[in-house]
Amino acid sequence: MSYLDELNQNQREAAENIYGPTMVIAGAGSGKTRVLTFRIAYMLEQKIDPFNIMALTFTNKAAREMTDRIGKIVGGSEARNITMGTFHSVFSRILRFNADRLGYPTNFTIYDTQDSKSLLKEIVKGFGLDEKTYKPSMVLGRISSAKNNLISPEAYFQNAEIMEEDRQTKRPELGRVYAAYANRCFKSGAMDFDDLLYQTNVLLRDFPDVLSYYQQKFKYILVDEYQDTNYAQYLIVKKLAAVYENICVVGDDAQSIYSFRGANIQNILNFRKDYPDFKMFKLEQNYRSSKNIVEAANSVIARNQDQIQKNVWTDNEEGEKINVIRSLTDNEEGKVITNKIYDLKTSKGLSFNDFAILYRTNKQSRAFEESMRKLNIPYKIYGGLSFYQRKEIKDILAYFRLTTNPRDEEALKRVINYPLRGIGKTTFENIVIAANQYNVSIWDVIEDFNKYPVTLNQGTRNKIYEFVTMIKSFGAQLDSMNAFDLAKLIAKSSGILKDLHAEKDKGPEEVERYQNIEALLAGIKEFTVSQAEEDSKSLSEFMVDVALLTDADQKNDEEVNHVTMMTIHSSKGLEFEHVFLVGLEENLFPSQMALHSRTELEEERRLFYVAVTRAKVSCTLSFATSRFIWGNLVSAEPSRFIEEIDKKFLNFVASERPGGRSLNSRPSGFDKPYIGGLNRTVSAPEGMKAVSHAKPSVGKSDSLSLDLKVGYSVKHELFGTGRITTIEGQGSDKKATIFFPGKGAKTLLLRFANLTVMEE
């Protein structure tokens, strides 16, 4: 039996159509990775040279898995000859091969977000600008947007609209900061992630011979997740495919959720305009989820106007209805969902790996973390601090980076005095001033004080000389030692291992830092052993791998038994048996920031669609009727997305409050339209006041109408009885600080507080 026989009719047609422009619209769970894999295998069977194929994937991990699967079908050696990986990894290779054309060293460093923010903070401070107005994250976002739209620092200054926008936002110096940032990166022989695409466009634009070479090399181009490409990525692909037009894009407009990164859904919607003779194939059969989940998701996404019509369906079993759980507060939501996971795991003999909690923002994880710890449920948060962002790992990686590229300014700044070697802050600032004065890198200055004089005493000069000599000695071993041996030498000779070992006796955190270095070295050893004979095993190559890791690449510990917690954006491409989608409240999801236009709202709806379709067996939606925001208990109303699901797919659960009290007075109460319309009231549990979801008016709330005074004893439905210590504000902004024994002081907006005055 041919491997193609494993495909359904639509999948097979898409896999076999290997010539000309092709668009494959792949609904959630429709097997697009299998189609891509089999399509490439089929191309090789048709005697297409693997060196002529470029496949751009969503993660490096996906690329490796596809290469392995193709190798099992047609032979491993041929599969390895395909150029396959993410946009950033593939084009970083092209840039390294042609770096001299752009004035960069072949071993240029790739700055991560933390490196870029550190550099921008220094530039902003050096210009004497207000660091609150020019926050590094904001400035970096602005620069990133410019690069993704191929706007150079020079073009930035010449764009009247951009300059006016900066003036309006009271940040008129953004262009100057951008220019300085670009110059400092160039002097350091460094590119940030956006540069990998920006500079590739510059390379193909300014060097026609390079463009022609790669057009002839990549006669067949495949792009996964095409709906998530930005303008820079779109233009690269369009240029490379211009000669042969053997381009196949795969994606789902209903899962375009990365506009904040510059992704443009119009790239996939306008494919037919770019290639009028294209062929379209729709993969509409969902192999992942139950019928109820698929059809519920369809009923929501159908409301989007800007989309390619398709009918996603499944032959899977009907499955459970989607549960909807209401909690009183976000803290209670954490307890309810955690208890639900514990009960399901215990009663059905499941693994914690079967469960995922997905939320709109990272800050929502706190309530669930607290509840998980109390029940001793193992969990892991993805999208938080990754292994490679830990201080001790960043420190040793900085030594590795300097070894491959001594002009790396951020790496040099990080470790020139770590471990401590007596090179102080003032000394380093003087060196930086000299480097800027002569417009050279910091390394150039410390390598030759005779050429670039700095006022330093002889003792300090000797220490810097020893540091420079050490880095040069590491660099001299790059070509003769493999990645592991050189990494181990650097860890020992730099003094990092000795420093961390001396700290081990101080506590568990210090022990963990030392163990993290051990784990890194073990990973480098694995890299050295696993590389194929013909592949490079050098430290330079390992550093490229690390720099290009994506969040999804780092989720590689599925064998550990834990509940997964992550943002919905991070969950893209993953699947779980049981999904809990939490915090489904207006202004949280959909986000308040996304309610200004239909375009923004439709992306939020696509995000909801992605979240629901991660679930295989069951999906639970959860919301709270009030949520603490900056210490205030604020009323919340259910998300419109719950309302948009056809009610026949929903089951409104009478959830149990921790301690046995029902959160919902009776299941039948959910038949009432508590999620219909904007002015709505949720039926309250017995003995508790109803929470109004209409925007409260001054004078209509019990607490606002009460003549409250400092010293009064009042009762709150969650915190119990407490005493008012301060009252401040006027009208609807009036708030009281109340001390509740055992719970501490709480500041509450009176229009939401629903207090009862207690008799003394």
Side-chain angles (χ1 to χ4, degrees), residues 7 28 80 124 241 251-252 284 335 349 358 404 407 463 471 479 532 538 551 581 586 596 636 649 654-655 686 697 751:
L7 304 177
R80 282 197 296 270
V124 167
D252 181 6
E284 298 172 306
K335 297 172 185 174
L358 307 181
T404 59
R407 286 181 170 76
K463 290 168 185 172
I471 298 300
D479 295 329
S538 71
D551 289 342
L581 179 52
E586 283 293 302
H596 304 298
F649 302 121
S655 59
E686 185 179 349
S697 302
R751 58 179 171 149

Side-chain angles (χ1 to χ4, degrees), residues 526-569:
E526 184 181 350
F527 167 84
T528 307
V529 172
S530 65
Q531 290 291 84
E533 286 295 323
E534 62 271 24
D535 292 337
S536 172
K537 301 177 183 180
S538 71
L539 188 62
S540 301
E541 204 62 32
F542 174 78
M543 291 304 295
V544 171
D545 264 22
V546 169
L548 296 170
L549 279 175
T550 67
D551 289 342
D553 288 323
Q554 294 182 49
K555 188 184 182 306
N556 59 0
D557 52 354
E558 287 83 357
E559 71 280 359
V560 179
N561 188 25
H562 59 243
V563 174
T564 294
M565 295 169 60
M566 58 172 57
T567 64
I568 304 165
H569 283 100

Side-chain angles (χ1 to χ4, degrees), residues 459-524:
T460 302
R461 286 189 178 226
N462 290 340
K463 290 168 185 172
I464 293 174
Y465 174 77
E466 289 171 5
F467 175 77
V468 169
T469 303
M470 177 178 66
I471 298 300
K472 284 183 173 180
S473 71
F474 295 155
Q477 306 294 330
L478 267 173
D479 295 329
S480 59
M481 296 180 76
N482 65 40
F484 174 73
D485 291 337
L486 182 53
K488 193 173 180 181
L489 173 69
I490 294 171
K492 287 182 176 180
S493 302
S494 65
I496 283 185
L497 274 183
K498 182 180 179 181
D499 185 68
L500 291 176
H501 191 271
E503 295 280 317
K504 277 177 66 179
D505 295 334
K506 293 187 177 180
E509 290 185 5
E510 286 73 17
V511 172
E512 184 181 0
R513 283 197 283 270
Y514 186 82
Q515 290 172 340
N516 284 339
I517 298 295
E518 289 182 330
L520 176 67
L521 291 174
I524 299 175

Side-chain angles (χ1 to χ4, degrees), residues 271-317:
F271 187 81
R272 64 191 73 196
K273 294 180 181 177
D274 291 332
Y275 306 96
D277 58 341
F278 84 110
K279 290 184 180 178
M280 180 192 289
F281 300 89
K282 294 182 181 181
L283 309 183
E284 298 172 306
Q285 183 175 357
N286 181 299
Y287 291 93
R288 175 188 300 149
S289 309
S290 68
K291 278 190 174 72
N292 265 309
I293 292 172
V294 169
E295 293 177 15
N298 285 348
S299 69
V300 175
I301 201 64
R303 295 173 180 262
N304 273 11
Q305 294 181 9
D306 216 3
Q307 64 175 302
I308 297 169
Q309 293 301 318
K310 56 187 166 297
N311 176 38
V312 179
W313 59 278
T314 185
D315 265 342
N316 293 342
E317 61 183 22

Side-chain angles (χ1 to χ4, degrees), residues 187-416:
K187 282 196 302 180
S188 297
M191 296 189 194
D192 62 22
F193 253 53
D194 295 310
D195 280 323
L196 297 179
L197 304 178
Y198 176 84
Q199 297 293 352
T200 299
N201 271 288
V202 171
L203 181 69
L204 300 181
R205 180 196 68 196
D206 294 352
F207 300 95
D209 60 317
V210 175
L211 173 61
S212 177
Y213 172 81
Y214 286 108
Q215 284 174 333
Q216 295 302 319
K217 177 174 174 60
F218 299 130
K219 296 177 182 177
Y220 300 86
I221 300 173
L222 302 92
V223 186
D224 191 13
E225 304 289 1
Y226 191 64
Q227 77 279 353
D228 292 327
T229 54
N230 59 33
Y231 178 64
Q233 292 166 322
Y234 161 80
L235 209 59
I236 292 170
V237 170
K238 198 166 189 304
K239 284 180 179 177
L240 293 178
V243 175
Y244 293 98
E245 292 197 347
N246 290 319
I247 176 171
C248 173
V249 300
V250 182
D252 181 6
D253 55 292
Q255 297 186 66
S256 178
I257 59 172
Y258 292 120
S259 65
F260 67 96
R261 294 181 186 170
N264 187 352
I265 192 174
Q266 296 303 319
N267 291 347
I268 193 167
L269 296 177
N270 292 336
F271 187 81
R272 64 191 73 196
K273 294 180 181 177
D274 291 332
Y275 306 96
D277 58 341
F278 84 110
K279 290 184 180 178
M280 180 192 289
F281 300 89
K282 294 182 181 181
L283 309 183
E284 298 172 306
Q285 183 175 357
N286 181 299
Y287 291 93
R288 175 188 300 149
S289 309
S290 68
K291 278 190 174 72
N292 265 309
I293 292 172
V294 169
E295 293 177 15
N298 285 348
S299 69
V300 175
I301 201 64
R303 295 173 180 262
N304 273 11
Q305 294 181 9
D306 216 3
Q307 64 175 302
I308 297 169
Q309 293 301 318
K310 56 187 166 297
N311 176 38
V312 179
W313 59 278
T314 185
D315 265 342
N316 293 342
E317 61 183 22
E318 196 78 19
E320 305 171 17
K321 289 188 175 183
I322 291 180
N323 291 322
V324 182
I325 296 179
R326 180 187 70 217
S327 302
L328 292 172
T329 67
D330 48 342
N331 287 332
E332 199 150 69
E333 181 185 40
K335 297 172 185 174
V336 170
I337 298 303
T338 302
N339 282 333
K340 186 75 173 172
I341 289 173
Y342 185 85
D343 291 343
L344 278 172
K345 192 260 184 190
T346 305
S347 63
K348 296 190 176 182
L350 302 173
S351 163
F352 284 124
N353 278 338
D354 294 329
F355 299 95
I357 298 175
L358 307 181
Y359 33 74
R360 181 64 180 80
T361 63
N362 273 312
K363 66 183 179 183
Q364 291 169 251
S365 70
R366 180 197 56 80
F368 301 97
E369 287 188 76
E370 289 180 1
S371 298
M372 294 274 183
R373 284 197 293 267
K374 287 176 182 175
L375 287 179
N376 289 320
I377 294 177
Y379 67 90
K380 184 173 177 68
I381 296 177
Y382 292 90
L385 185 67
S386 77
F387 178 79
Y388 290 99
Q389 292 299 322
R390 297 177 188 275
K391 179 189 179 301
E392 61 276 11
I393 300 301
K394 292 279 287 184
D395 288 339
I396 195 166
L397 290 181
Y399 274 103
F400 295 170
R401 284 164 50 175
L402 279 179
T403 300
T404 59
N405 174 22
R407 286 181 170 76
D408 184 336
E409 183 176 315
E410 287 304 301
L412 183 59
K413 183 167 63 179
R414 188 175 189 97
V415 298
I416 192 170

Side-chain angles (χ1 to χ4, degrees), residues 744-755:
K746 308 289 181 183
T747 301
L748 306 176
L749 274 174
L750 292 183
R751 58 179 171 149
F752 296 127
N754 286 330
L755 300 171

Side-chain angles (χ1 to χ4, degrees), residues 38-75:
F38 286 8
R39 178 187 173 91
I40 296 172
Y42 182 71
M43 292 167 73
L44 298 181
E45 276 196 348
Q46 301 305 303
K47 305 305 180 187
I48 290 175
D49 191 335
F51 286 99
N52 292 147
I53 300 172
M54 177 174 69
L56 301 169
T57 60
F58 190 58
T59 66
N60 292 302
K61 182 180 178 182
R64 288 191 293 270
E65 289 174 353
M66 285 177 61
T67 301
D68 290 342
R69 289 169 69 179
I70 294 166
K72 290 175 182 176
I73 298 172
V74 299

